[in-house]
Amino acid sequence: MAAFRRALSAALMLAPLPALAGPLTDLAAIDTAVAAFTGQQIGVPGGAAQPVDRRLRLAGCSAPLALSWYGNAQTSVLVRCPDAGGWRVFVPVSAARVAPAATPAAIAVARGEGVTVTVAGDGFSVSQPGEALDAGAVGAWIRVRTAAKADPLRARVVRPGLVELPVD
């Protein structure tokens, strides 16, 4: 029986560990991709709330990372490895806030104000009326609603009365 245990122990020590086999994904690259996707750096309103947890050990990804907003409220970014059996990570986004010291002149959109919500891309532009659920200065991310029972969306303030939804 002792010989069997030694043989089993030796076999287990030589067996490859799936979590450590192959290269790992660079977590800083995920932070960079999320910053490029949101247009804001880590800790800045509209950007990732904090860096990806450095304790994660994610398998290397041979395809480019796929990023998308998670949910209609756009409060998290879904980062996926599109490889077969790939992983996914949800990165929380900091809510857009107006600094308490901001003067009313700095606020371009007031809470409850009617705004034009626009989506523009290569060769097209779509807009519709909406309501600002937060106040914000130009460049800030705020929540807007396009219909009374619609889920809130995150949009960037372009100028007074105009907000823009991101397009991939």
Side-chain angles (χ1 to χ4, degrees):
M1 184 56 104
F4 174 74
R5 282 190 219 155
R6 281 193 304 268
L8 180 60
S9 177
L12 289 175
M13 289 175 55
L14 296 175
L17 297 174
L20 300 176
L24 297 176
T25 298
D26 179 16
L27 300 176
I30 295 175
D31 290 335
T32 302
V34 170
F37 179 78
T38 62
Q40 298 294 331
Q41 295 300 317
I42 296 170
V44 174
Q50 58 191 16
V52 173
D53 189 339
R54 296 303 191 240
R55 295 173 292 182
L56 291 174
R57 298 293 177 247
L58 304 172
C61 196
S62 62
L65 297 176
L67 285 85
S68 61
W69 289 109
Y70 181 72
N72 290 336
Q74 298 180 347
T75 56
S76 295
V77 175
L78 170 60
V79 182
R80 291 185 310 108
C81 173
D83 293 349
W87 46 263
R88 64 183 181 170
V89 174
F90 297 89
V91 179
V93 174
S94 294
R97 299 194 200 305
V98 175
T103 64
I107 295 175
V109 173
R111 182 175 186 217
E113 179 181 342
V115 294
T116 299
V117 180
T118 185
V119 177
D122 291 338
F124 76 94
S125 176
V126 179
S127 61
Q128 72 180 61
E131 176 188 359
L133 300 177
D134 298 318
V138 172
W141 287 85
I142 63 169
R143 294 176 305 132
V144 296
R145 186 181 339 242
T146 56
K149 293 189 178 186
D151 289 329
L153 302 170
R154 285 181 29 85
R156 188 185 315 244
V157 177
V158 177
R159 59 177 168 78
L162 179 66
V163 297
E164 176 182 65
L165 293 173
V167 176
D168 293 333

